[in-house]
Amino acid sequence: MEDLENNTTVFSTLRSLNNFISQRMEGVSGLATPGSSQSSLQIQYQQRVQLEEQAGQIHSKSQLLQVEREKMQMELSHKRARIELEKAANTNARNYEVEADRNQELLTRIKQYQEREAEAENKLKEQMEMNKSYKKSMETMSKKLQEKESKLAEANETITILKGKISELQWNIMNQEMQMTSQDSQKQELMEQLDVQHKKWQEASQQIQTLQASQSLLAEYEQKIKDLEQKFSQQEHDALIVKNMKAELARFPKMERELRQLREENAYFREMKENNGLLKEEVEGLQRKLERYEKVQAQLVTVELENEKLLGKLKSWEKLDQSTGLNIRTPDDLSRQIVALQQREIVLKEQNSTITNSARILEKARQQLQEEILRVQSQLLDEKKKREQHEALVRRLQKRVLLLTKERDGMRAILESYDSELTPSEHSPQLSRRMREAEEMVQKLHAHNTELEAQLAQVLEEVGNHKQRAEMLEVEMKVLKSQECTAEQSTVITKEEVDTLRLKIEELEAERSKLEEENRSLEMKLEKLTLQGDYDPSRTKVLHFSMNPVSLAKQQRKEEQQQLQEECERLRELVRVLEGGGSVPGNLEGVGSFQSQEIA
Amino acid sequence: AYGINSILYQRGIYPPETFTRVQKYGLTLLVTTDPELKNYLNNVVEQMKEWLYKCIVQRLVVVISSIENNEVLERWQFDIECDKTAKDERRVRVAPREKSQKAIQDEIRSVIRQITATVTFLPLLETACAFDLLIYTDKDLVVPEKWEESGPQFIANSEEVRLRSFTTTIHKVNSMVAYKKDSFP
C-alpha cells in the first residue's frame, strides 16, 4: 500500500511537472526576443534539460514503481496461485486418495472378476470339453445310428428282396401248381393215349410179325440178288482183266522194244561210264604227269641255275690258275696244293710249338739263373757287410787298445808322480781327493767313450745297411736293364703273335654272337613248335584211347552216310520206275511207306 | 578230368543239358552225365593217374576236330614236368618243396577260370565237333591193351596262347591253347 501511495505521489508530481513544462514552453514560445532571450533561452534550455532529466528520472521512477507494483501484484497473484494450488493439491490429493481407494476397490473387483473370468473360462473349457466329448459321443452315436440305419436300410432292403423273393416263390409255387394241374390233365390224356397206343402196338406187333416174315423172304431175295451181282461184278472184273491182259499183251511188244532200248541205253551208259572212268583216270594220270613234268621243269631250271653257278665258279677257279700262277689246271691240283699248304702249315705249327716250348724252357732257366744270381749277390753283400763290420770292430778295438795304453801310461805317470809326491810330503787328503777326482774323471771319460763307441757302432751299422740296400738296388737295376734288353728283343717277336691272337679273338667273338643269335632263334622256334604241339619222336610217343569219341563220331557219320546213300539209290530207282509208269513193285512200296513215315 | 569237362561244356561239344553241376576247388564246375562219355573219361583218367605216379606222362592234349572234314580246330595242351627225384625215398625233405593243399587248389581254380575266360576270344565252332584225348609219354612205355599210337594232330595255321601254370609238390603243369586262325578275321 505504501507503494501505491508512493505511486500516487509520483503521478501527481509528474502531472505538475508536465503542466509546468507546458506552461514554460508557451512562455518560451511567446518570448521570442533576441537579446535577453538568449540567456533566458539558455536558462530555459538548462531548465528544460534539467526538467527533462527530472522527467526522465521520474519516468524511470514511475516505471520502477509500476514494475514494483506489478511485482507486488505478481507476488500476490503468485501467492494466491500458490494457495489455490495448495488447495487444489490438497483437493487433488484427496481426490487421489479417493481415487486410489477406488482404484484398489476396482482392482480388487477386477481381480475378483478375473478370478471369476478364469473360473468361467475353466468352466467354459470344461463345458467345451464336455461339449466336445458330447459331440464325439454324439458323433459316435450318430455313426452308430447311421450304421444302424444303414443296417436297418440293408435289413429293409433284404426284407424287400426277401419279400420279393417270397412273392416270386409264391408266384412260382402258383405256377408250379398250375403246371401240376396241367400236367395231371396231360397225364390223364397221355394215359388215354397210352391205352390207344397199346392197342396200336398190339396191332403193330401183329403187323411186324407179318412183316418179318416178308422181310426174311426179302433177305433171301436180296441174297440171291447179291450173289447174282457178285457174279456179275466178277464177270465184269474178268472182262476188265481180259481187257487189261489184252492191252498188256498189246503193250508187251512195246515194252519189249522199250526194254531192248533201255538195255542198249544202259549198256551204252555203262560203256560211257567206263569210258568216263577211264578218261578220268587218264586225266588224273596226265595231271600227275603234268605235275611231275612241272616239278621236273622247276628242277631243271634250278639245276640249270646251279649249272651256271658252277660254271661260273669253274671259270673263276680256272682264272685262279692264271691269277695265282701256281700251275693249277684242275681242282685236284688245287686240292693237292691246299693239302701241301696245310701240311706245311702243320709242320710250321709243330715247329712253332717246339720253338715256343724251348723258349719257355729257356725263359724258365733264365729266370731260375737270375734268381740264383740275386741270391748269390745278396750273399755277397752280406759277407761284405760282415767283413766291414769286422774291420770296423778291429779298428775300434785297436783304438781302444791305444786309448787304454795311453790311459795306462797316464795312470802310470800319475802314479809315479803320486809316488814321488807321496814320499816328500803327506798331502794325503788332497791327494786322495785329487785321486778320486781323477778316477771319477777317468770313469766319466770311460763312460763317454763307451757311449761314443756305441753310437759309432750304430752309425756304422746303419751305413752298412744303407750300402747293402744301395747295392741290392743297383743289382736289381742291372737285372731290370738286362731284362729290358731281352724284353725288347722278345716284344718284336710277340707283337706278331698278339696281332694274330687278337684277330682270332675277334673272329671267335663274331662266331659266338652269331651262334647266340642262332641259339635264340632256335629257342624261339622250339617254343613255337612246343606251343603248336611238336614233340621229339625219339623220346616221346603219342597215345590215345582206341574207343575215343572222334572215332565213334566218325563211325556214326559213316553209317549215316551209308544209310543216306542207300536211301538215295532206292529213291532214284523209285523215281525211275514212277517215271516209267509201270506198276510199283513190292520192295519199292516199302521204301515209299518208309519215306511217308519219315515225312510224317 | 574237371578241366576236360569244362572245356567240353564251354566249347559246346556236347549239349549243355547233358552237364550237371558239382562243387570242386571252390568253384561250381560242370561235369557230363552221358554214361558213355563218363566211362571213356574214367578209363583215360585212371590210366593217366597210373602214368603220372610213375612220372611217364609228358603232355596231355585235348584235340577238338570237326566231324565232317576231320580238320583239327582247337588244341588244348597241358605240359607236365615231373620231379623225378621226388620218387627217391632217400631224398631229404626240403621245406620249400612242400605246398599246401589250399595253394594247389587256388592255382587249379585259377587255371579253370582262365579256361572259361579264354573262350571269349576263341573262334566259334560252327560245325559239329568231336574231341580226342592224346597223351604224350616216354617212347619205351608198353602200350596198354585198349590204347593205340596216333599222330600229334597239329593245326595247320595256328594261333597259340599260353595260359597260367600251377605246381604241386611233385609236378608242374603248363597249359596253353592253340586254335585255327580264322580266314576272315
Side-chain angles (χ1 to χ4, degrees), chain A residues 76-90:
Chain A
L76 279 169
S77 64
H78 186 67
K79 279 182 188 171
R80 277 182 213 151
R82 208 194 289 171
I83 291 158
E84 283 173 5
L85 271 172
E86 283 175 2
K87 283 181 189 172
N90 284 328

Side-chain angles (χ1 to χ4, degrees), chain A residues 368-515:
Chain A
Q368 281 174 2
L369 285 167
Q370 276 181 355
E371 282 168 15
E372 277 184 30
I373 286 165
L374 281 167
R375 256 184 277 146
V376 162
Q377 279 178 347
S378 62
Q379 279 176 8
L380 226 188
L381 288 165
D382 288 332
E383 280 179 5
K384 270 189 191 174
K385 195 180 142 191
K386 277 180 194 170
R387 202 160 51 97
E388 281 173 7
Q389 279 177 357
H390 285 307
E391 281 177 4
L393 250 177
V394 159
R395 276 179 229 147
R396 260 185 270 144
L397 284 166
Q398 280 178 358
K399 278 180 192 171
R400 246 188 157 175
V401 159
L402 279 167
L403 279 168
L404 280 166
T405 49
K406 278 182 190 171
E407 273 184 44
R408 201 187 42 172
D409 294 335
M411 297 297 279
R412 269 191 199 160
I414 290 163
L415 273 168
E416 283 170 7
S417 67
Y418 283 151
D419 285 330
S420 65
E421 279 178 15
L422 260 171
T423 47
S425 60
E426 291 180 354
H427 298 289
S428 50
Q430 285 180 359
L431 280 169
S432 61
R433 219 194 307 146
R434 273 188 206 163
M435 272 261 290
R436 274 177 233 149
E437 286 173 8
E439 282 174 8
E440 283 169 11
M441 285 286 284
V442 162
Q443 281 171 5
K444 280 180 194 171
L445 281 167
H446 274 300
H448 197 65
N449 244 351
T450 49
E451 281 175 15
L452 282 169
E453 279 175 10
Q455 280 179 6
L456 228 185
Q458 277 180 4
V459 166
L460 281 168
E461 274 181 26
E462 281 176 13
V463 163
N465 282 332
H466 282 302
K467 272 188 191 171
Q468 206 184 14
R469 271 187 223 161
E471 278 164 11
M472 287 283 283
L473 284 166
E474 279 179 17
V475 163
E476 279 175 12
M477 280 281 284
K478 281 178 200 167
V479 165
L480 280 167
K481 276 182 190 170
S482 64
Q483 274 182 357
E484 268 180 24
C485 296
T486 53
E488 278 173 8
Q489 287 168 14
S490 61
T491 46
V492 172
I493 300 164
T494 53
K495 264 184 194 173
E496 293 173 358
E497 284 183 11
V498 161
D499 290 331
T500 52
L501 284 168
R502 269 184 210 159
L503 283 168
K504 275 186 193 173
I505 285 161
E506 280 168 16
E507 282 169 18
L508 285 167
E509 277 186 4
E511 273 184 42
R512 194 174 63 86
S513 59
K514 277 183 209 168
L515 285 167

Side-chain angles (χ1 to χ4, degrees), chain A residues 527-550 552-554 556-557, chain B residues 40 58-59 67-68 70 75 77 131-139 141 146-150 152 154 158 160 162 176:
Chain A
E527 173 77 22
K528 203 182 168 194
L529 285 168
T530 50
L531 280 174
Q532 278 182 346
D534 199 6
Y535 64 100
D536 183 6
S538 64
R539 275 188 285 160
T540 57
K541 59 187 178 188
V542 186
L543 296 176
H544 69 165
F545 210 61
S546 306
M547 294 295 294
N548 64 57
V550 170
L552 286 170
K554 279 186 204 170
Q556 280 175 1
R557 199 143 261 232
Chain B
Y40 168 68
Q58 296 174 10
R59 211 177 260 187
I67 297 177
E68 287 162 0
N70 276 336
R75 230 170 161 273
Q77 191 166 286
F131 80 101
D132 194 7
L133 293 171
L134 306 176
I135 302 182
Y136 287 50
T137 59
D138 288 347
K139 189 132 177 105
L141 173 69
K146 292 188 188 165
W147 293 72
E148 63 188 15
E149 274 207 47
S150 106
F154 292 138
S158 78
E160 296 100 25
R162 244 188 204 279
M176 56 203 90

Side-chain angles (χ1 to χ4, degrees), chain A residues 18 111 126 188 230 276 373 386-387 462 561 571:
Chain A
N18 283 327
K111 280 179 191 171
E126 285 169 11
Q188 280 173 3
Q230 273 181 0
N276 273 341
I373 286 165
K386 277 180 194 170
R387 202 160 51 97
E462 281 176 13
Q561 264 188 341
L571 285 167

Side-chain angles (χ1 to χ4, degrees), chain A residues 56-144:
Chain A
Q57 281 177 6
I58 290 160
H59 193 68
S60 62
K61 278 183 188 172
S62 66
Q63 278 184 348
L64 260 169
L65 285 169
Q66 277 182 355
V67 161
E68 282 176 4
R69 207 198 289 169
E70 282 174 4
K71 194 176 112 182
M72 293 286 282
Q73 282 177 354
M74 290 279 279
E75 283 177 359
L76 279 169
S77 64
H78 186 67
K79 279 182 188 171
R80 277 182 213 151
R82 208 194 289 171
I83 291 158
E84 283 173 5
L85 271 172
E86 283 175 2
K87 283 181 189 172
N90 284 328
T91 53
N92 276 333
R94 274 181 229 152
N95 287 332
Y96 183 71
E97 283 171 10
V98 164
E99 279 179 6
D101 291 333
R102 270 192 209 166
N103 263 341
Q104 279 179 356
E105 284 177 13
L106 285 169
L107 279 169
T108 51
R109 275 190 202 169
I110 282 163
K111 280 179 191 171
Q112 282 173 5
Y113 287 140
Q114 277 180 353
E115 283 169 10
R116 281 185 203 169
E117 204 184 320
E119 285 175 8
E121 277 181 11
N122 287 329
K123 279 183 188 173
L124 228 184
K125 278 179 193 173
E126 285 169 11
Q127 287 281 320
M128 290 286 281
E129 286 172 8
M130 293 275 280
N131 270 341
K132 279 179 194 171
S133 63
Y134 284 140
K135 272 185 191 173
K136 278 179 194 170
S137 62
M138 282 286 283
E139 280 172 11
T140 51
M141 293 292 280
S142 66
K143 276 178 195 171
K144 281 180 189 171

Side-chain angles (χ1 to χ4, degrees), chain B:
Chain B
Y2 293 99
I4 296 168
N5 268 296
S6 300
I7 292 169
L8 294 176
Y9 173 73
Q10 292 287 339
R11 302 309 285 142
I13 310 289
Y14 291 90
E17 50 264 19
T18 62
F19 286 85
T20 179
R21 293 192 145 76
V22 296
Q23 283 285 336
K24 190 82 184 172
Y25 307 121
L27 289 176
T28 302
L29 300 174
L30 288 142
V31 292
T32 184
T33 51
D34 183 57
E36 216 179 274
L37 180 59
K38 269 208 254 191
N39 190 26
Y40 168 68
L41 283 175
N42 284 332
N43 283 328
V44 173
V45 166
E46 283 300 316
Q47 190 57 264
M48 272 280 290
K49 277 188 197 172
E50 201 187 300
W51 283 338
L52 270 171
Y53 185 69
K54 292 184 197 165
C55 283
I56 297 172
V57 180
Q58 296 174 10
R59 211 177 260 187
L60 168 71
V61 179
V62 180
V63 176
I64 296 174
S65 51
S66 158
I67 297 177
E68 287 162 0
N69 53 8
N70 276 336
E71 200 185 355
V72 179
L73 295 173
E74 270 179 29
R75 230 170 161 273
W76 294 76
Q77 191 166 286
F78 300 92
D79 289 343
I80 298 163
E81 288 165 23
C82 187
D83 188 4
K84 289 204 172 138
T85 64
K87 286 286 156 311
D88 196 357
E89 285 167 0
R90 286 170 291 172
R91 179 176 72 85
V92 174
R93 277 274 166 94
V94 181
R97 288 244 187 195
E98 287 193 351
K99 211 162 163 181
S100 70
Q101 188 76 355
K102 189 176 180 304
I104 296 170
Q105 278 197 3
D106 282 343
E107 287 187 4
I108 293 173
R109 182 162 68 223
S110 63
V111 167
I112 289 182
R113 276 210 189 112
Q114 213 173 14
I115 290 171
T116 314
T118 50
V119 169
T120 52
F121 63 80
L122 294 175
L124 294 171
L125 297 172
E126 303 284 349
T127 63
C129 295
F131 80 101
D132 194 7
L133 293 171
L134 306 176
I135 302 182
Y136 287 50
T137 59
D138 288 347
K139 189 132 177 105
D140 51 2
L141 173 69
V142 174
V143 182
E145 218 181 84
K146 292 188 188 165
W147 293 72
E148 63 188 15
E149 274 207 47
S150 106
Q153 315 267 32
F154 292 138
I155 299 177
N157 183 21
S158 78
E159 196 75 56
E160 296 100 25
V161 176
R162 244 188 204 279
L163 307 175
R164 272 181 194 264
S165 62
F166 70 90
T167 55
T168 62
T169 47
I170 303 171
H171 296 100
K172 180 172 185 213
V173 179
N174 293 317
S175 24
M176 56 203 90
V177 63
Y179 56 95
K180 187 162 177 292
K181 265 198 263 210
D182 282 333
S183 42
F184 300 107

Side-chain angles (χ1 to χ4, degrees), chain A residues 9-21:
Chain A
T9 52
V10 167
F11 283 134
S12 62
T13 49
L14 271 171
R15 268 184 233 133
S16 65
L17 270 168
N18 283 327
N19 290 325
F20 183 68
I21 288 161

